[in-house]
Amino acid sequence: MKFFLTTLAILLLSFCACIYFPWWSIAIVAFVVSALIPQKPLWSFLSGFVALLVLWGVLSTWTSMQNENILAHRVSLLILKNDSPALLIILTTFIGAIIGGLAALTASYLKPKTIVVE
């Protein structure tokens, strides 16, 4: 349940943050949500990864389809040296997912360690 809640919160808040703030605000959102809803590191990474994989995958595909992939064709030729808008969308999606996953993973390691003094 925590995984689903964290994933949904990161997805929705990242979408809202990207409207008003720069693209890298997704990392801050994933970090804050994972810090507020503590999970084990693997689940925390997966929740950030999956949330931003879905968000950036849908947004980049939708944006590219709105202009009939004209910009994606040109950018893929410029960056990838290959005319492949689909590969550019996959690469963009994967980069966003890695950023979200690593930000969430970082927050999961912020738990205070208890020191037992004997």
Side-chain angles (χ1 to χ4, degrees):
M1 187 65 179
K2 272 185 169 181
F3 175 77
F4 179 72
L5 179 66
T6 306
T7 304
L8 188 62
I10 292 172
L11 193 143
L12 293 175
L13 292 174
S14 292
F15 178 75
C16 293
C18 282
I19 293 173
Y20 299 107
F21 300 111
W23 70 269
W24 48 265
S25 62
I26 61 170
I28 297 169
V29 169
F31 181 87
V32 169
V33 169
S34 292
L36 294 175
I37 305 172
Q39 298 183 82
K40 291 184 178 179
L42 175 66
W43 291 108
S44 185
F45 175 81
L46 286 176
S47 65
F49 187 88
V50 167
L52 288 162
L53 182 83
V54 170
L55 178 67
W56 273 32
V58 169
L59 286 179
S60 61
T61 302
W62 183 74
T63 303
S64 185
M65 292 176 113
Q66 292 299 312
N67 64 13
E68 298 174 357
N69 294 326
I70 294 171
L71 184 61
H73 281 289
R74 292 180 182 177
V75 172
S76 68
L77 281 172
L78 184 66
I79 294 176
L80 305 174
K81 307 292 187 225
N82 188 3
D83 188 15
S84 177
L87 183 61
L88 183 68
I89 290 171
I90 290 169
L91 183 66
T92 302
T93 301
F94 186 70
I95 289 171
I98 290 292
I99 290 170
L102 290 177
L105 180 66
T106 303
S108 72
Y109 284 131
L110 286 180
K111 297 180 204 170
K113 302 290 181 184
T114 55
I115 301 173
V116 178
V117 178
E118 294 179 22

